[in-house]
Amino acid sequence: LATATNRALQSVIADLAARADELLRHGPVLVRRLNGWARLAVAGYVAGGQATSAALCRSGYDVLARDIKPSGVSTVARAVRVAARW
């Protein structure tokens, strides 16, 4: 891995993460329309996306200096919140 992500790339990643966050905010609406495994899969996808976006933000979008991974606890907590909106 590189020593640091330059500011221009950090800005691009931050913008893309913000766009992803906006799309993921609509996830619970879709989850309510699904049943069975599809509901569970989409809720997990939404929670994982939100947790990853939060991990990127915490890292300052410095994706070249270290691996960015959401914690399992964070992902599960988000999944519970998405499920609670059903």
Side-chain angles (χ1 to χ4, degrees):
L1 296 174
T3 57
T5 305
N6 68 49
R7 297 271 186 220
L9 183 53
Q10 286 175 336
S11 178
V12 168
I13 294 167
D15 288 345
L16 292 173
R19 175 69 178 133
D21 285 340
E22 180 61 31
L23 294 171
L24 289 166
R25 277 190 209 106
H26 299 286
V29 173
L30 177 59
V31 168
R32 279 195 302 265
R33 296 179 180 184
L34 299 172
N35 296 308
W37 286 109
R39 178 179 274 187
L40 181 62
V42 173
Y45 180 86
V46 169
Q50 291 171 336
T52 299
S53 182
L56 283 166
C57 182
R58 281 192 307 276
S59 77
Y61 306 100
D62 190 2
V63 298
L64 298 179
R66 61 189 146 310
D67 290 333
I68 309 300
K69 297 178 186 175
S71 73
V73 172
S74 173
T75 304
V76 170
R78 289 172 190 280
V80 167
R81 284 194 295 269
V82 169
R85 293 182 188 171
W86 293 349

